[in-house]
Structure formats: C-alpha cells, structure tokens
Amino acid sequence: MSETPARQEVKSQTLLQRARAAHASSRFAEAARLYLAAARLLGDRPDRRAEALLEAAHALRLVGYFRRALQLYERVQALAQQLGDEALWMDARVGEGMARRAMGDLETAIACFREALDYYQEQDDPEGIGYTLWCLGGALRLTGDFDEALDCLLEALDIFEDEEPSTAEGYVRCALGGLSRMRGEYDASLAYYQAAERILTACDDLFGRAYAACGIANAHRMLGNVEAAHHYFTQAQQRYHQIGDRVSYAYTLWGEGTLFKVTHRLEQARERFRQALTLFRATGDDRGIAYAYTGLAELLLLEERAPKQARSYLEAARERAGRHGYTFERLHAELLLHLSGMQPAEGGLEALREAYRRCGSQWLEGEVSLPLNIP
C-alpha cells in the first residue's frame, strides 16, 4: 500500500531536519543522502524538491563530488525556470560556479559569480552580495588578478565584520589569508588565519576550523616554522578526515609534502604527494594534479635522477595549469623547467621574474618553492 500524502509530508520533514543537523555538524555526505531522500518524497512539490536538491548539491560539493553536484545544480536551475523563481535559479548558479572553480573551469566560475553579483546588487541583498564577493575574490586570486580579488574580499569583510562572530566573516578572513600568502605577505596571512580560527571555533564550525588550520599550517610553512606547520597540518587532516572532505584533505597532504621536501625528508614528501595525487585524480581536480606533479618533479630534481620523468611531470603540470588559467602553477612549472635546463624560458629568468611581479607576487630569491595558494 502506498503512503498517504500526509505520511509522506511527515517523513520528508523529518528527513530535512536530520539533513540540516548533519550539515550543521559538517557531516556533509550524510546530509546529502538525507536531502536526496527528502527530495524523492517531494515529487509533487517542485519548489521544495528544488530546495532539497540545492542543499544536496552544496553538501556533495563540499566532500569533492563535483560532477554529481553539477548535475544537481542543473536540475535545480531547470526547476527554478519552470517555477519562475529567479532567486532560486541564481543560488544554484553560484553553486555551479563553486563546483566549476573546484574542477578548474575558472572562466565559467567567474562568469557565474559576476552574473550573481549583478543580481544580488539589483536586489539590494547584502548577504548575497557578500557571499558572491567572497566567491569571486577567491576565484580571481587563482588567476593572479590580485588587485580585484583584494577589493572583492575587503568589501565582503566590510559587509560581514561585526562584534558577534559569524562563519561568513571567518571564511572571508581565510580567503584573505590565502591571498596574502600568494603575495608573499606571510605574517599577514598568519594573522588572518588565526583570527578566522578564533571566529570559526566560536561558531563551532568544524569545516571552517579545518580550513583555518590548513591556512595556519601553510603560513607557518612559508615562515619556516616547521614544528608549528606540522602541528596544524595534522589538525587539518584530522578534521577533514572526520568531515569526509577528500579534496581539502588532499591539499593538506600536498602542503605537508612540501614541508617534508624543504626539510629534506624526501621519501616522506614523495609519499604525501602520491597520496594527494590519488585523491586529486579521484575527484577530477586538475589544479591539485598539477600541484602533485610539480612536487614529484621537484623531488626528482633534488635527487638529480630520472630527468625524463621530471620533465614529463612538469610539462603535464604546465599544460593543466595553462588550460585552466592558473597563473602561478604555470609559472612554477616553467621556472623549474628553466632552472633545470630542460626548457629555457622565452626571455630567460628575468622574464619569469617580471611575470611574477605583474601578478603581484613576491619573488623568492634562490627558492624553488613559491607561495602557491591552498584553498
């Protein structure tokens, strides 16, 4: 016997309540399953089904299931068009942008965010404006457009900064920490991340605390504070593992591998890079794959062996970074190819220096590892 509409309504409400609780506790995979189960029970309510699918897409994106998330965002946009709900359509558009950014399609992601920003500004929606500025600033910093990225993030901070701590302010400060690191401003990066950690701890946001811990670890790495960096990488890994976020966990492995590399613990570095590469491939993260290839190539160069393999890694990293517009990752691969004598850069070392200066990054004299951004 099929269930009555009243019974289905009760079950859908229960599932949605459980999904929201799981999401609030950073149990994103569980939340996605519950949202999808609720959506199946809401077949005769396209408005509520769309909202459940949207939340499921957000949750799946946060644990690295980007392709599935994109499919759900497209379904939500189709439902929003049927309903004539422009606000819902735009919320899904922003989610699409975040998923495409994670998959390396920066051009489309930035177009999504600019479109949404125009809409939220027309609606005079401060929360929508602030969130979209955070998204846009985070994408622009990956292309090397630091000036506009900084403008976006500072404007978002002005919207969200308040006497009461909020997750929004914490995440914006994390983004500013990443941007500062890319600019070579490591003390400022550490300060932004530490402030974010205090805020996100007060908000009991496990995902945010993992994000801040990873940022603190990378700031300490760039400052040469090895033990502190290891401590925070371990914290970040534990938190991301608890959440089930394969993508962010992979970046902590890459960051710790880089730390092992610069402290000449090369086998441990290689293990971390290989573990990260496996996860990046599983999630389709081309930017992460480029990072792992570059790291593995650096180890071979340091060991003065397997030059063909090192060159293969670097050319693959450069191709992936160039395809998606990741300026620093491409420059990093070109620098290593040049310094190793494998492929002289057009214009030589000074041309590479100038490229870094145009992007706003500090040139590290005599250093191979550059201040690449970790999300």
Side-chain angles (χ1 to χ4, degrees), residues 138-269:
L140 289 169
R141 66 188 170 124
L142 300 181
T143 66
D145 192 347
F146 288 166
D147 290 340
E148 188 178 359
L150 182 61
D151 289 343
C152 289
L153 294 175
L154 290 177
E155 188 176 345
L157 184 62
D158 187 55
I159 291 170
F160 291 129
E161 194 171 22
D162 200 350
E163 293 180 4
E164 292 297 319
S166 71
T167 56
E169 181 185 350
Y171 282 100
V172 173
R173 288 189 180 277
C174 281
L176 284 163
L179 178 60
S180 296
R181 185 174 64 250
M182 290 182 78
R183 293 168 64 95
E185 300 163 354
Y186 308 128
D187 288 318
S189 177
L190 181 60
Y192 274 126
Y193 279 120
Q194 288 173 331
E197 184 185 45
R198 290 192 294 271
I199 291 168
L200 294 164
T201 298
C203 295
D204 196 25
D205 186 319
L206 179 59
F207 182 85
R209 289 168 58 211
Y211 183 7
C214 185
I216 291 172
N218 279 296
H220 278 305
R221 173 173 64 86
M222 300 309 296
L223 288 164
N225 303 330
V226 174
E227 292 307 314
H230 276 302
H231 171 75
Y232 281 100
F233 275 130
T234 299
Q235 273 195 8
Q237 287 168 7
Q238 290 171 343
R239 291 169 184 170
Y240 282 133
H241 182 72
Q242 181 180 345
I243 292 165
D245 182 346
R246 301 174 298 162
V247 176
S248 300
Y249 182 76
Y251 278 105
T252 68
L253 292 171
W254 176 88
E256 190 168 42
T258 300
L259 185 63
F260 281 133
K261 180 199 69 186
V262 298
T263 53
H264 306 291
R265 297 157 72 176
L266 302 189
E267 281 309 310
Q268 287 168 290

Side-chain angles (χ1 to χ4, degrees), residues 259-304:
L259 185 63
F260 281 133
K261 180 199 69 186
V262 298
T263 53
H264 306 291
R265 297 157 72 176
L266 302 189
E267 281 309 310
Q268 287 168 290
R270 185 173 285 107
E271 179 186 7
R272 293 293 191 277
F273 289 148
R274 285 175 173 168
Q275 290 174 329
L277 180 59
T278 297
L279 288 171
F280 289 137
R281 283 173 169 163
T283 57
D285 186 337
D286 267 356
R287 176 168 168 253
I289 292 170
Y291 273 40
Y293 281 165
T294 304
L296 289 166
E298 286 185 85
L299 297 180
L300 294 175
L301 294 175
L302 288 169
E303 294 167 327
E304 298 183 341

Side-chain angles (χ1 to χ4, degrees), residues 40-120:
R40 285 192 289 271
L41 293 174
L42 293 166
D44 60 344
R45 292 291 306 274
D47 54 340
R48 293 177 57 201
R49 184 168 83 252
E51 290 171 2
L53 291 172
L54 178 64
E55 294 301 329
H58 292 333
L60 287 168
R61 174 172 55 78
L62 288 168
V63 286
Y65 293 96
F66 303 128
R67 293 183 181 87
R68 178 60 175 144
L70 272 177
Q71 291 173 349
L72 292 180
Y73 286 130
E74 289 170 358
R75 285 179 62 186
V76 174
Q77 288 178 48
L79 285 168
Q81 285 183 322
Q82 292 173 20
L83 295 164
D85 189 336
E86 190 175 9
L88 177 63
W89 191 90
M90 202 59 70
D91 288 346
R93 183 72 165 150
V94 176
E96 177 192 347
M98 291 297 282
R100 291 192 182 281
R101 170 194 154 173
M103 295 177 70
D105 187 357
L106 287 178
E107 184 177 354
T108 302
I110 289 170
C112 289
F113 300 145
R114 291 196 190 282
E115 183 179 354
L117 182 59
D118 287 343
Y119 170 79
Y120 293 126

